Amino acid sequence: MSTYRNPVLNADWSDPDVIRVGEDFYLTVSTFTKVPGLPILHSRDLVNWTIIGHAVTSGYDDVRPGCGVWAPALRHHDGRFWIFYGDPDVGICQVNAADPRGPWTAPHVVKPGLGLIDPCPLWDDDGQAYLVHGWAKSRAGVNNRLTLHRMATDASAVLDEGTLVIDADLLPGYRTLEGPKLYKRDGTYWIFAPAGGVEQGWQSVFRAESIVGPYEDRIVLEQGGTDVNGPHQGGWVDTPSGEHWFMHFQDRGPYGRVVHLQPMVWKDGWPVMGDDGEPVTEGPVPVPGGAPGEPAASDDFAGPGLGLQWSWQANPDPSWWELRDGTLRLACVPGPEDLRERAAVLGQRLPGEPCTVTTTLTLDGEGGDGRAGLAVIGFTAASVGLESTPDGSVLVCGDAEPVPVEGPVTVGARIGAGALVTFLADTGRGLREIGAPFQATQGRWVGAVLGLFAAGSGTGQAIFDGFTVQKGSQ
């Protein structure tokens, strides 16, 4: 493949940051309260990406939309990989590892406090270390500003009270300045930071001869005449041959924040991104010759573990699930009826293009009161699946009339243009539509999720025989 098309990651890979180590590229993203969190993606060409692990393996015990792991920064320093992220209810945290596949250290709080978000470190040439971060108005009461700290070189703590290096309230037209990434190039300090909000914002860069400023700014990427709204928040990376690229997200509502790749050149002392500051639709692959690849979606449940694309809505209990004989078995555990509030939902990102999702489901348990199935979850939720009754299992989907069934049933969802969902089921006559169409919606800072669930008093279990995502289906 010699040409790529945007988005290169067409699903909810929010707030991406990217680095190169040798000939390998690594990327991580926000995961909020998903468990595991902070996925690590690997590529050899910036276009084809696969998931190789996670840097955070635990979170909250209950579902807290919009909390948890916000906008990470990924760096490689002193032979180790480092990820800094903000938890707006805890403070600025870091994890690190010798191998990006793990194991990673437990999260360590570098700076405690409310509303501390979007951190990024810099280890300078003279041995000093620094940390820049933004502010969440919902917790701190302020935003639209960036604060810089001196930091211990082992990233154990910040060493001062901090310096306000950019007050965007003083910059005409600026609002919601956030997501800073701190770099140094040829003796000049750079802060790449988006502003204007995720739906209609832009990407700015700031430069200074001293790390504490004063900084001057320039907008380097905005929608212009394209259909890429709010192109911003990401990372700058170079290739082994010395070319420069910028990866950023675009908010696409129910599809979440999809990732675009922009060429970048330096001109008159400033970076120029995309096509003279506007996003490109396609371009030459940065490093030719790479093998095609994309983050996994389908899963045959052959083990030994769940596919790396899966996550729970909060900390899972090991008793919730088991892989056995090529199937996933979910216990029908108690919990909120509302799937949006239920920790025991196993989910993955909704693809950003039309697709058909199917799984074959059996509800097992004599006299159980379980229900299980396939769901699409955002601010709203809907599902198709099976429910136990005194007379046996019935197929249920929204307001549709329940249909008695025996044995395994294939259920599915056809995701059409605009993330309009049509649920499907096969009761012996092939996959057919069931229930009313459902408009998928985004969640709190995230896109919609495809989820598998099993609910009840704990007396039964749901058996899922494979999970298939066929893209391009209508």
Side-chain angles (χ1 to χ4, degrees):
M1 179 172 59
S2 58
T3 301
Y4 75 89
R5 290 190 60 84
N6 277 319
V8 292
L9 285 169
N10 197 5
D12 186 35
W13 300 95
S14 177
D15 310 322
D17 196 22
V18 59
I19 61 171
R20 177 177 64 85
V21 180
E23 296 185 347
D24 297 286
F25 299 97
Y26 300 96
L27 179 145
T28 191
V29 298
S30 299
T31 45
F32 303 97
T33 55
K34 294 178 180 177
V35 179
L38 287 178
I40 310 299
L41 281 72
H42 171 259
S43 176
R44 297 299 295 269
D45 61 9
L46 292 173
V47 173
N48 297 283
W49 294 90
T50 56
I51 314 172
I52 61 172
H54 291 85
V56 171
T57 56
S58 65
Y60 291 105
D61 290 333
D62 56 337
V63 179
R64 303 186 188 184
C67 297
V69 176
W70 287 24
L74 174 62
R75 293 293 181 265
H76 187 257
H77 168 70
D78 197 24
R80 296 188 70 82
F81 292 82
W82 300 79
I83 300 177
F84 287 68
Y85 65 91
D87 182 322
D89 300 304
V90 175
I92 292 169
C93 308
Q94 59 93 348
V95 294
N96 60 87
D99 187 327
R101 292 167 176 78
W104 291 77
T105 61
H108 172 78
V109 179
V110 180
K111 179 186 177 183
L114 295 177
L116 308 178
I117 60 169
D118 304 357
C120 184
L122 175 72
W123 285 271
D124 209 343
D125 305 327
D126 61 2
Q128 298 292 313
Y130 299 91
L131 181 76
V132 68
H133 70 81
W135 297 85
K137 193 170 185 177
S138 59
R139 274 77 159 182
V142 296
N143 70 345
N144 206 33
R145 61 192 63 186
L146 303 179
T147 297
L148 180 79
H149 289 273
R150 289 189 302 112
M151 182 180 71
T153 56
D154 64 357
S156 58
V158 295
L159 302 178
D160 59 19
E161 294 300 313
T163 301
L164 180 62
V165 288
I166 300 175
D167 184 349
D169 287 346
L170 304 178
L171 300 176
Y174 271 76
R175 61 192 187 278
T176 321
L177 181 69
E178 58 187 351
K181 298 295 184 291
L182 182 57
Y183 305 98
K184 188 176 184 181
R185 179 178 186 266
D186 295 338
T188 299
Y189 295 92
W190 293 88
I191 297 177
F192 286 41
V198 299
E199 294 181 355
Q200 304 299 330
W202 63 88
Q203 177 70 38
S204 287
V205 298
F206 300 79
R207 72 178 184 185
E209 296 307 308
S210 167
I211 196 167
V212 295
Y215 283 88
E216 55 181 326
D217 71 289
R218 177 173 291 188
I219 295 175
V220 293
L221 188 68
E222 53 190 334
Q223 180 172 352
T226 75
D227 61 359
V228 181
N229 60 297
H232 68 307
Q233 189 148 339
W236 158 37
V237 68
D238 65 359
T239 65
S241 62
E243 296 178 326
H244 299 267
W245 296 83
F246 183 71
M247 301 196 77
H248 66 91
F249 77 74
Q250 172 199 12
D251 187 289
R252 292 192 61 216
Y255 298 115
R257 300 173 179 182
V258 303
V259 177
H260 292 242
L261 176 65
Q262 304 297 336
M264 187 177 113
V265 297
W266 292 88
K267 184 177 180 181
D268 300 326
W270 292 91
V272 178
M273 296 180 181
D275 181 6
D276 198 24
E278 293 188 5
V280 301
T281 302
E282 61 183 16
V285 174
V287 183
E294 62 179 336
S298 299
D299 197 339
D300 59 9
F301 301 131
L306 289 168
L308 295 175
Q309 68 270 31
W310 295 106
S311 61
W312 302 90
Q313 297 197 132
N315 282 334
D317 187 307
S319 66
W320 290 352
W321 67 279
E322 177 188 12
L323 293 178
R324 189 200 311 170
D325 301 329
T327 64
L328 168 68
R329 297 166 184 250
L330 296 183
C332 295
V333 295
E337 287 294 306
D338 189 336
L339 294 176
R340 297 170 297 179
E341 302 174 1
R342 188 176 182 84
V345 174
L346 184 64
Q348 64 168 278
R349 295 162 180 82
L350 181 74
E353 60 189 282
C355 65
T356 299
V357 182
T358 54
T359 184
T360 299
L361 170 63
T362 304
L363 198 53
D364 184 28
E366 291 294 330
D369 60 351
R371 65 185 183 97
L374 168 68
V376 180
I377 304 171
F379 279 133
T380 55
S383 65
V384 61
L386 300 180
E387 185 172 319
S388 292
T389 73
D391 298 321
S393 295
V394 295
L395 174 68
V396 292
C397 182
D399 295 331
E401 188 71 22
V403 179
V405 295
E406 293 184 6
V409 175
T410 297
V411 296
R414 185 169 62 241
I415 317 298
L420 184 66
V421 179
T422 303
F423 287 110
L424 309 167
D426 182 358
T427 57
R429 298 180 298 166
L431 277 176
R432 296 172 180 263
E433 297 181 5
I434 182 172
F438 168 71
Q439 178 59 60
T441 56
Q442 66 193 66
R444 183 69 167 170
W445 317 128
V446 297
V449 169
L450 296 171
L452 302 178
F453 71 95
S457 62
T459 58
Q461 67 174 349
I463 303 172
F464 294 88
D465 189 357
F467 183 90
T468 301
V469 179
Q470 183 179 355
K471 296 182 179 180
S473 304
Q474 291 283 354

